[in-house]
Each structure stands twice: as structure tokens, then as C-alpha cells.
Amino acid sequence: MDYEVDKVQKIEADTLDDCKAQLCNMYGRDWNYVGHKPKQVSYGLFKLGRKYVVELSYTVGHKNAYEEEIKASKKASEEAEFEQKKAAILLTTLSNTISQKLEETKKELSEQIAIKGGGTAEPESIKRIEENLYLNDFSKDYIKEISDKIRANFSLEQLENFDLVERKVVDWIGESIEIAKPKAVRPPHVVIIVGPTGVGKTTTLVKLAVQFVLSYKKNPQNEGRRPEICFIVTDFMRVGALEQLERYGDLINVQVLKAESSDDLKTLYEDNKDRMDAIFIDTSGYSPNDGDHIGSMKVLLDVPSMRPDVYLAVTASSKARDLENIFKNYEPFGYNSVIVTKCDESNQYGNVISVLHKKHKSISFITNGQIVAKNIVAANPVDFLVRLENFNIDRNHIEDKFGGN
């Protein structure tokens, strides 16, 4: 069989990681990455839907790998033929619903024609914006919202000016990011961080404590006085949780207390509220689907007189669907805002921006490393906008527009 070692071939999947996983299954390590780009494809019964997938270009390294690809292609063709036959059978059995489907399709086509100005082709500027948003992990709903705003706010002539459209889209993204407003609090300032396991709640809690101490010392009214703060541990599920917080406590000279029940927490709060400037409470991490343990933790933290400042911690790399589930299942805690952790481990933030916007939640802090004294900053739209890939960012413009947020 003839083959070309350097022949550039292509594969499609929902994400870049899915493409790579398929290639590893086919060739092991005997393939070479060439590049990737978003691609719009049609889907559905009448091919009327459209979505973005990733198209990855690659080469194979030897004859066996190439022959494996031929076999995989043949298998894919057979599977496609099977799917076609199955679709034909399904179409026959669903004959009683065809008229309804046709009416829905007719309505969808009418809406698309109205949106696109009587059936004209989608403007190139909108396609480019959608592709760039997709590459930045924005959700389908968020991308549609931006596309609809472009159509509603720009004339056909203006749509030909991509730089103009892009600049406005960046502004819209920045405006969709709600930043938590600082709150005036009276001592003791009680801080609680909740969230799934593995998001870095304990480290983030210590970072907030350090920030509290630094801010306290900067206040001229507190000159020469160190704030009185303590940690309270309620996490006894994770091995080493107590020891980890005690090490941090020794490092910054903060007492660590233990509460295994709601009564314990209530007692500790009552005993310390009059002498502490702030109390930082560490919590257990559970799967967002573990309703029983989440409910138990809610009961443990329910001390009516405490009036805590509750934050939900999530990682920057979480998928949008997972973030929506986390936001929903931790809603009973009445969290004030969100802390996005491990921002140094992700390059795209469209997932976070999309879900924060959809759920109407504000963001207070972002963390980007393990150094407790510095790797946390108050959130600002600029922090997210400068990380947008494939967008031409006018740094001076966004600093002027959002820098004060």
C-alpha cells in the first residue's frame, strides 16, 4: 500500500483534547501535531443546526500507523452507513410526528432568515467573533448572546469593520463580568469558604487572612496594633487538613481551633467574638452532587448570630457545565460572591465568565499560585480581558474603562 509519511491529515472532535485522545488511540505516539482551528459544522435531522468543533491537522510517522488510519476510516464508514440505516428506520417509525417537526423547522428557518437579513450570508465579522469566543471556552448561550448583540447594534456597513466590532465585543465581555463590591463589616469579620474538593479552599482561606492582616496594618487608626484573628477547622474528612492549617497558623502566628459539630462552632464563636477582629472558618470539600454531606455542612455552619461572609471557591479550569452544577448545589449557603482559584493552571476563562454571567454572580478574588502572601488579588475585568486569546486587546482602553472596578 502506498503512503506518505508527511501527508497532512485532519480529524474533528468537540475539543482539542478529544482530537488528541482519538489520535493516541489510533497511533499511540506515532503522530505529529501540525495545528488546529475551529470549524463550523451542521448537525441534526435536516442538518439545520450548527455548532463549532475543533479541526486538528496532523501527520503520521510510519506505514503501520497509516494503515491503521485506513482501517479506522473504513470502520468509520461502516459505522456511518449503519447510522444512516438506523436513521432511515427511525424516520419511518416517527412518521406520526413528521408534520410537527416540519412546522418547527419552518419556524426555525424563518427566524434564521429574519436574523440574517432575508437569507443573506452570515457576516464574516460575526463568524470570526464566534470562532474566537469558542476558542476561549465561552458557552454556547454566551456566544449566541454576543452574536445577537452584534446584529442588533451594527449596520451591515459597520460589520465590515472587524476592528470596530471586536473592540465593542471586548467591552461587552468586560461589562458582563460583575465584580463584588467591598462591604463594611464590624468585628468579628467571619469568613467562610465553601466549594468542591480540590479547589484550594484552605490555602485560599489563609491568603484572605494574610490580606486582612496587611489591610488592617495599613489603616492609620490601627497603627502599632496587630489584629486578633483565629482559624476554626471544620474539615475532618480530608487527611491532614488540620495539620495543614496548623502549619499555616504557626507561620503567621494565628491560633487554630477545632469544631466538629454545630454546637462546637457556636461555642467557639461565642467564646471568641468579643476579642477577635476576624475569624476564618475552613470547611470540608465534597462533590457538588453529594447532597447529604453538603446538607450536613450547611447545618454545622448554621450559627444565626455569626452573619458570615461566605465565598464559593471554584477552579478556573472547571467546565462550564460543571460550574453551573456547583453554583446551583452550593446556593443554600447564600454565598456572597465567587473566588476563582488556580488561574495559573488555565489559559481560557470564557467558561468562568459565561457561568458567572448566566447565574448573575459576582467575583471577588482570583488566585494564581501557592504563595499565601501574594498569589491572590481582588478581581477586575481587566484580569480576564487581557487573557482573551485571538482578540486584539487595547490595554490602555480597557484599563481606562475597567481599571477602577
Side-chain angles (χ1 to χ4, degrees):
M1 179 185 295
D2 294 331
Y3 68 97
E4 297 177 48
V5 172
D6 293 325
K7 179 182 177 182
V8 177
Q9 302 172 76
K10 298 178 180 179
I11 190 171
E12 296 176 3
D14 289 337
T15 67
L16 178 59
D17 287 341
D18 290 341
C19 288
K20 292 180 178 179
Q22 290 184 35
L23 290 173
C24 288
N25 288 335
M26 293 165 60
Y27 307 122
R29 296 177 178 272
D30 293 320
W31 62 275
N32 300 304
Y33 171 87
V34 176
H36 73 280
K37 64 179 182 179
K39 180 179 179 181
Q40 194 176 79
V41 297
S42 300
Y43 69 96
L45 186 60
F46 297 100
K47 302 295 184 180
L48 295 172
R50 60 190 182 94
K51 66 178 183 178
Y52 284 98
V53 298
V54 173
E55 179 184 86
L56 186 149
S57 300
Y58 66 98
T59 59
V60 292
H62 56 76
K63 182 175 180 178
N64 290 337
Y66 187 73
E67 289 177 348
E68 287 297 323
E69 181 185 5
I70 297 300
K71 292 178 182 178
S73 177
K74 182 178 179 181
K75 181 180 178 182
S77 298
E78 292 174 350
E79 291 177 350
E81 182 179 356
F82 173 76
E83 291 296 330
Q84 290 178 351
K85 291 180 180 179
K86 185 171 70 173
I89 295 173
L90 180 62
L91 184 61
T92 301
T93 60
L94 295 178
S95 58
N96 59 328
T97 63
I98 288 297
S99 58
Q100 179 183 352
K101 293 294 183 182
L102 288 174
E103 286 299 319
E104 293 175 356
T105 301
K106 181 179 178 181
K107 180 180 178 182
E108 182 179 347
L109 285 172
S110 299
E111 291 174 350
Q112 291 182 6
I113 290 172
I115 290 173
K116 295 181 179 181
T120 58
E122 184 83 292
E124 187 63 28
S125 58
I126 295 181
K127 289 183 180 179
R128 287 180 60 185
I129 290 296
E130 288 180 340
E131 290 174 359
N132 289 344
L133 291 172
Y134 175 78
L135 286 176
N136 281 275
D137 278 349
F138 283 92
S139 69
K140 182 171 63 176
D141 290 343
Y142 193 97
I143 294 174
K144 182 180 184 301
E145 180 178 330
I146 293 295
S147 298
D148 289 344
K149 289 183 73 171
I150 294 173
R151 297 185 187 98
N153 286 274
F154 290 95
S155 66
L156 290 176
E157 182 180 357
Q158 290 173 324
L159 287 174
E160 295 179 1
N161 185 345
F162 180 76
D163 291 341
L164 175 67
V165 176
E166 181 183 50
R167 180 185 175 98
K168 190 61 177 177
V169 167
V170 172
D171 282 353
W172 287 337
I173 295 173
E175 291 165 1
S176 74
I177 302 171
E178 182 181 349
I179 303 299
K181 305 297 183 186
K183 297 196 314 180
V185 293
R186 291 182 296 178
H189 182 196
V190 180
V191 176
I192 299 175
I193 300 180
V194 298
T197 183
V199 299
K201 295 187 297 297
T202 300
T203 305
T204 302
L205 189 76
V206 176
K207 290 177 181 179
L208 288 180
V210 172
Q211 291 295 309
F212 179 86
V213 172
L214 295 176
S215 177
Y216 185 93
K217 289 182 175 180
K218 289 179 181 178
N219 189 335
Q221 296 180 351
N222 302 321
E223 185 175 357
R225 180 176 180 268
R226 177 184 173 84
E228 293 292 334
I229 67 175
C230 69
F231 291 127
I232 298 180
V233 179
T234 66
D235 182 8
F236 297 96
M237 297 291 294
R238 179 169 60 89
V239 176
L242 176 61
E243 290 77 6
Q244 180 188 13
L245 197 53
E246 285 178 336
R247 286 196 299 270
Y248 282 125
D250 291 340
L251 185 65
I252 60 177
N253 194 26
V254 172
Q255 184 180 11
V256 179
L257 309 173
K258 296 180 289 184
E260 298 187 36
S261 67
S262 182
D263 288 340
D264 288 347
L265 184 59
K266 183 177 180 180
T267 299
L268 288 175
Y269 175 72
E270 293 295 333
D271 289 347
N272 289 277
K273 67 178 183 179
D274 293 329
R275 65 186 187 87
M276 290 293 170
D277 294 293
I279 299 173
F280 295 85
I281 301 177
D282 192 28
T283 64
S284 299
Y286 301 107
S287 162
N289 300 315
D290 190 349
D292 291 340
H293 278 110
I294 290 176
S296 298
M297 185 169 65
K298 176 68 172 65
V299 172
L300 187 152
L301 296 173
D302 191 15
V303 179
S305 61
M306 196 161 61
R307 296 187 299 276
D309 207 358
V310 183
Y311 298 94
L312 173 66
V314 296
T315 59
S317 59
S318 299
K319 294 179 180 179
R321 184 180 299 177
D322 293 336
L323 286 173
E324 288 193 31
N325 194 38
I326 293 168
F327 280 29
K328 180 184 70 175
N329 290 333
Y330 279 88
E331 195 72 49
F333 291 93
Y335 54 92
N336 306 96
S337 61
V338 174
I339 299 175
V340 182
T341 65
K342 304 184 180 181
C343 289
D344 54 317
E345 298 179 10
S346 181
N347 292 322
Q348 289 82 34
Y349 299 92
N351 51 336
V352 175
I353 297 172
S354 297
V355 180
L356 285 169
H357 176 62
K358 180 177 181 178
K359 296 296 185 179
H360 305 289
K361 297 296 183 182
S362 63
I363 179 171
S364 51
F365 298 94
I366 63 174
T367 73
N368 53 8
Q370 295 297 313
I371 303 176
V372 295
K374 59 181 292 188
N375 291 145
I376 184 170
V377 295
N380 188 295
V382 175
D383 297 323
F384 294 95
L385 297 180
V386 295
R387 291 177 169 87
L388 291 174
E389 294 187 1
N390 277 25
F391 280 90
N392 182 25
I393 304 298
D394 183 342
R395 184 64 182 255
N396 291 331
H397 170 70
I398 63 172
E399 288 280 4
D400 289 342
K401 187 175 181 65
F402 300 108
N405 286 7

